[in-house]
Amino acid sequence: MQSKEDILDQLFELIRPHSEQPIELSEQTRLIEDVGLNSMKVMELVMQIEDHFDVSIPLNILPDVDTIGEFAKHLETLLEAR
Amino acid sequence: MSILLEKFRPLEEMRAKLVASSGEDPFHVVVERVLSATEAVVNGRKVIMAGTNNYLGLTFDPDCVAAACRAVREEGTGTTGSRMANGSYAAHVALENELAAFFNCPAAIVFSTGYIANLGVLSTLTGPEDVILMDTDCHASIYDATRLGAAQVIRFRHNNPADLEKRLQRLDERASRTLVVVEGIYSMLGDRAPLREIVDVKRRYGASLLVDEAHSLGVLGENGRGLAEEAAVEGDVDFITGTFSKSLGSIGGFCVSRWPELEHMRYAMRPYTFTASSSPSLIASTRQALQVLKRSAGLRTKLWDNAKRLYQGLLEMGFDLGPEISPVIAVKLPVSIEETPALWGELLSQGVYVNLVLPPATPGGSPLLRCSLSAAHSHEQIDVMLKAFATVSAKLQPEHQS
């Protein structure tokens, strides 16, 4: 099982190339306001994360996800349930 | 101004910028007068309409017009009620029976629009235990349906059966409770779904399949039934949705299924229950158009001939187009969003209306000049379109070289 820190580190790596400006990514970084993603890019990112972790991530989680930390929390639950 | 409206200020600023660069608002074109299935007056000028999805050109078919006139006189201007209350007339039921017979299906339901058909079917067919696995390029009505319903929603990469398989595999035992959703012809780039391969995958995992034939009804298949007919997989498609607002030239939507139990869903669908049914005139012209569509092999030949003529012509000019010849032809523009309205406006000034589509609504992120052809277009009209695009091509040249 992967620790929360492992998951976060991998998420930072996956998200970094999408950032328009070079910014420091943290648990508190917001995907839309800080990273600069639009709704289509967030959905594209979800597919990449699904493939990286080999897990299904329903788009239904997105309304509850604002920050990378919140995404990681959902991902952790999905990975545990796998 | 109401504080609630403040969030639309960026949209208004964007619109103002677009208008400033082309002198027109590409998203608020007013058709001042309709002249025929292919011509209209816009800004006081006669233009060829090359972005109307009027594939068979039936909007002025004399029999369809006569049927609509007769219905409005005999049954009035509207039903003023939903299908569940007072809005199911004999003609609505007759159209359902005719659609079921046309598709060789035991069940059909007619909705007020194609958008509402997708909203109703997708949101009701799947519940919290089920999964919708949709192609990334699916239409907004399919995306919106997933927000109305409770199913878990996952996307697969556009037209990629291997990616679909990977995702079905990941779902494990939930694969059998999954509805795969694809389109016959995708509305933006005009490409078909690789339906035989998709059917092969869905069969192996025991999933169900819904095909939205909005842009392919009357356009594909020997009898015009769409991509499922063309790919000879109709027996493996569980649900077909579609619209009356393209090849049938009116407004409305439908779902047919090889499963008679579709009928049970009728009164569970909120978008069916809580909106007024289609007016008698719309139902009457749709029924007549369906009769025309059944005998439309000649129109389809004309449509595809037109599509080839425009596609080849644009290709020879060096434009970057959608991946295959289709009645939907998308010209991908290698310019910024800000530069596109002027190019679109150039076409309009040359007497050609096409759709301007901007990211994020476009696949791949490039702005599109989206054309859709009709069997009613003449070769001369296609040549006018090509001439207009030649001026766009010339305007793009210096940019290419710099």
Side-chain angles (χ1 to χ4, degrees):
Chain A
M1 212 185 82
Q2 306 189 59
S3 71
K4 195 181 170 196
E5 286 66 36
D6 282 347
I7 292 172
L8 270 173
D9 283 343
Q10 292 170 69
L11 280 181
F12 293 152
E13 287 306 309
L14 289 164
I15 293 168
R16 193 163 290 123
H18 292 281
S19 174
E20 284 168 3
Q21 315 285 338
I23 54 162
E24 188 69 27
L25 299 179
S26 75
E27 270 189 77
Q28 283 73 43
T29 308
R30 296 169 300 175
L31 290 168
I32 290 172
E33 292 85 345
D34 302 329
V35 183
L37 302 179
N38 62 34
S39 58
M40 298 301 282
K41 284 189 175 153
V42 170
M43 289 194 288
E44 177 57 37
L45 178 67
V46 168
M47 295 177 84
Q48 280 181 17
I49 297 172
E50 283 185 308
D51 289 344
H52 180 84
F53 288 93
D54 193 23
V55 67
S56 295
I57 307 174
L59 296 180
N60 314 52
I61 67 160
L62 290 180
D64 300 328
V65 169
D66 193 19
T67 64
I68 297 178
E70 284 161 358
F71 200 115
K73 220 166 127 190
H74 280 283
L75 186 53
E76 210 181 343
T77 313
L78 289 166
L79 288 169
E80 274 170 23
R82 193 170 52 173
Chain B
M1 183 174 70
S2 163
I3 192 167
L4 298 174
L5 292 167
E6 272 178 16
K7 57 174 120 22
F8 303 109
R9 200 167 269 161
L11 210 58
E12 178 52 25
E13 284 163 8
M14 182 62 169
R15 185 181 155 271
K17 247 200 268 180
L18 294 180
V19 173
S21 72
S22 72
E24 312 269 355
D25 182 348
F27 304 113
H28 194 57
V29 169
V30 177
V31 175
E32 289 150 12
R33 205 148 60 85
V34 181
L35 303 173
S36 71
T38 59
E39 285 183 319
V41 175
V42 175
N43 292 343
R45 191 189 309 118
K46 192 163 108 174
V47 299
I48 298 168
M49 300 303 280
T52 60
N53 306 319
N54 191 359
Y55 299 119
L56 300 180
L58 296 185
T59 46
F60 282 87
D61 178 272
D63 292 337
C64 293
V65 171
C69 290
R70 205 163 43 241
V72 82
R73 279 197 206 97
E74 289 173 6
E75 300 187 332
T77 51
T79 66
T80 68
S82 93
R83 293 291 317 269
M84 195 166 163
N86 56 300
S88 279
Y89 290 10
H92 292 78
V93 177
L95 176 55
E96 284 176 342
N97 292 336
E98 287 155 9
L99 282 165
F102 177 61
F103 282 97
N104 301 312
C105 283
I109 299 179
V110 162
F111 296 82
S112 301
T113 68
Y115 177 90
I116 285 175
N118 274 341
L119 227 53
V121 173
L122 284 156
S123 70
T124 313
L125 188 59
T126 55
E129 303 298 310
D130 309 320
V131 179
I132 289 178
L133 184 45
M134 60 187 280
D135 186 289
T136 52
D137 281 12
C138 277
H139 186 255
S141 57
I142 293 168
Y143 277 90
D144 292 356
T146 67
R147 293 167 71 166
L148 185 64
Q152 297 176 49
V153 186
I154 295 170
R155 306 190 313 159
F156 69 94
R157 293 197 162 82
H158 176 56
N159 274 356
N160 188 332
D163 197 71
L164 169 66
E165 172 153 23
K166 183 166 70 182
R167 287 174 155 71
L168 271 173
Q169 202 168 26
R170 227 174 247 157
L171 285 167
D172 207 7
E173 77 269 15
R174 283 189 297 162
S176 63
R177 300 197 63 100
T178 296
L179 179 68
V180 176
V181 184
V182 301
E183 296 184 16
I185 290 180
Y186 285 89
S187 59
M188 285 297 119
L189 297 183
D191 46 347
R192 297 171 172 84
L195 203 55
R196 289 186 77 86
E197 292 87 338
I198 285 167
V199 159
D200 175 55
V201 174
K202 84 104 190 176
R203 279 178 78 145
R204 281 190 283 114
Y205 289 84
S208 297
L209 175 64
L210 182 147
V211 181
D212 181 343
E213 301 267 22
H215 290 269
S216 37
L217 171 69
V219 171
L220 296 177
E222 201 184 331
N223 297 288
R225 291 199 295 269
L227 180 63
E229 185 193 9
E230 186 190 66
V233 293
E234 287 174 289
D236 284 299
V237 175
D238 299 280
F239 305 93
I240 288 174
T241 56
T243 179
F244 306 151
S245 65
K246 303 186 189 329
S247 55
L248 292 170
S250 68
I251 310 173
F254 70 91
C255 177
V256 295
S257 175
R258 68 190 178 106
W259 304 109
E261 294 82 3
L262 174 74
E263 183 61 29
H264 301 166
M265 237 171 71
R266 192 183 288 269
Y267 304 118
M269 293 184 286
R270 299 176 67 83
Y272 174 93
T273 310
F274 295 104
T275 195
S277 65
S278 287
S279 69
S281 57
L282 287 169
I283 295 292
S285 75
T286 304
R287 289 181 68 193
Q288 182 56 39
L290 185 61
Q291 297 309 313
V292 178
L293 189 148
K294 285 181 186 170
R295 312 182 300 264
S296 63
L299 290 175
R300 252 189 309 290
T301 306
K302 183 89 202 314
L303 171 66
W304 281 94
D305 180 50
N306 284 342
K308 277 172 207 151
R309 195 178 180 91
L310 185 65
Y311 192 93
Q312 293 298 351
L314 292 171
L315 208 59
E316 280 161 25
M317 286 178 204
F319 282 112
D320 185 8
L321 305 177
E324 57 182 293
I325 296 176
S326 156
V328 174
I329 299 177
V331 176
K332 298 178 196 170
L333 295 173
V335 297
S336 68
I337 290 178
E338 288 72 23
E339 292 168 272
T340 52
L343 298 171
W344 172 86
E346 176 65 30
L347 289 178
L348 195 63
S349 73
Q350 304 252 344
V352 177
Y353 169 82
V354 303
N355 311 123
L356 175 65
V357 195
L358 299 179
T362 61
S366 53
L368 301 178
L369 292 173
R370 176 190 178 275
C371 313
S372 60
L373 288 167
S374 173
H377 283 128
S378 65
H379 277 180
E380 291 70 30
Q381 286 177 317
I382 309 276
D383 293 343
V384 173
M385 294 174 205
L386 284 168
K387 212 173 138 202
F389 268 103
T391 64
V392 169
S393 173
K395 279 188 187 291
L396 285 170
Q397 285 314 316
E399 307 231 17
H400 283 181
Q401 285 154 9
S402 65

